């Protein structure tokens, strides 16, 4: 019995009569934006609603945003749409998004260009190789591009995906915005399928 008492008494934590303020208990992010999402002025005819994927609770989730585009150009100007989407993903979340736990990993210096001469017409080229981007950033780009460009009628396929490549004549890969990618963004660099 004495050995048992000695074993439990030696835990290494001393009692104290002094109150200790360790701060508020950690809270879980809600991942739900309260009070509306970031929007452009309502009277602007060139405001187009889009879903931008941001990081929240180790996943990527969509938030509503609007981008400014020439009227009727969503389908016709794929590169302009892609550049507007990158701008949205590079912008820091607004106060409501931040309070809900959202953040972004997309580097501020990242740029997007259109396909090279022998690329498929739906390819987008990034200023960095996709697998050199932070995994969460790549997942954000994949899902934001795939869903927006598909919903605009640019990509005619059953599962939303996007063809991405690096800045030079690097090989292209198709990335799909799957449930697995949204819930495990860290796997994004290995999710691409080579485009022949």
């Amino acid at each position: 019995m004495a050995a048992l008492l000695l074993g439990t008494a030696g835990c290494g934590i001393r009692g104290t009569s002094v109150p200790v303020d360790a701060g508020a208990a950690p809270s879980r992010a809600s991942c739900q934006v309260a009070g509306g999402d970031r929007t452009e002025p309502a009277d602007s005819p060139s405001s187009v609603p889009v879903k931008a994927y941001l990081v929240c609770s180790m996943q990527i989730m969509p938030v509503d945003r609007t981008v400014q585009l020439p009227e009727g150009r969503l389908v016709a100007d794929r590169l302009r749409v892609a550049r507007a989407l990158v701008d949205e993903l590079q912008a820091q979340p607004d106060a409501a998004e931040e309070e809900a736990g959202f953040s972004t990993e997309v580097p501020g210096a990242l740029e997007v260009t259109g396909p090279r001469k022998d690329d498929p017409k739906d390819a987008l080229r990034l200023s960095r190789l996709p697998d050199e981007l932070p995994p969460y950033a790549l997942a954000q780009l994949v899902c934001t591009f795939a869903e927006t460009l598909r919903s605009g009628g640019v990509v005619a396929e059953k599962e939303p995906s996007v063809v991405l490549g690096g800045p030079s004549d690097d090989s292209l890969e198709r990335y799909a915005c799957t449930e697995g990618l949204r819930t495990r963004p860290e796997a994004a660099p290995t999710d691409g399928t080579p485009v022949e």
Side-chain angles (χ1 to χ4, degrees), residues 165-189:
S168 54
D169 292 326
D170 306 297
S171 60
L172 297 166
E173 293 193 350
R174 182 173 294 278
Y175 296 86
C177 180
T178 63
E179 180 66 21
L181 182 65
R182 292 189 296 271
T183 57
R184 293 182 300 104
E186 66 276 5

Side-chain angles (χ1 to χ4, degrees), residues 26 29 66 70 87 103 113-114 163 184 195:
T66 56
D87 289 344
S103 64
T113 59
V163 175
R184 293 182 300 104
V195 174

Side-chain angles (χ1 to χ4, degrees), residues 47-60:
S47 293
V48 178
V50 297
K51 297 282 186 192
Y53 277 79
L54 300 180
V55 179
C56 191
S57 292
M58 299 179 69
Q59 301 180 51
I60 58 164

Side-chain angles (χ1 to χ4, degrees), residues 9-14:
C11 67
I13 300 175
R14 292 183 180 171

Side-chain angles (χ1 to χ4, degrees), residues 29-34 37-38 52-65 91-105 140:
S30 70
C31 299
Q32 293 182 355
V33 179
D37 299 305
R38 180 183 298 175
Y53 277 79
L54 300 180
V55 179
C56 191
S57 292
M58 299 179 69
Q59 301 180 51
I60 58 164
M61 306 175 96
V63 296
D64 293 323
R65 297 274 181 90
Q92 289 304 308
D94 64 20
E97 292 167 349
E98 193 172 319
E99 186 174 328
F102 287 100
S103 64
T104 185
E105 297 291 322
Q140 286 181 259

Side-chain angles (χ1 to χ4, degrees), residues 17-40:
S17 61
V18 178
V20 176
D21 181 9
S27 62
R28 294 186 64 174
S30 70
C31 299
Q32 293 182 355
V33 179
D37 299 305
R38 180 183 298 175
T39 57
E40 298 297 330

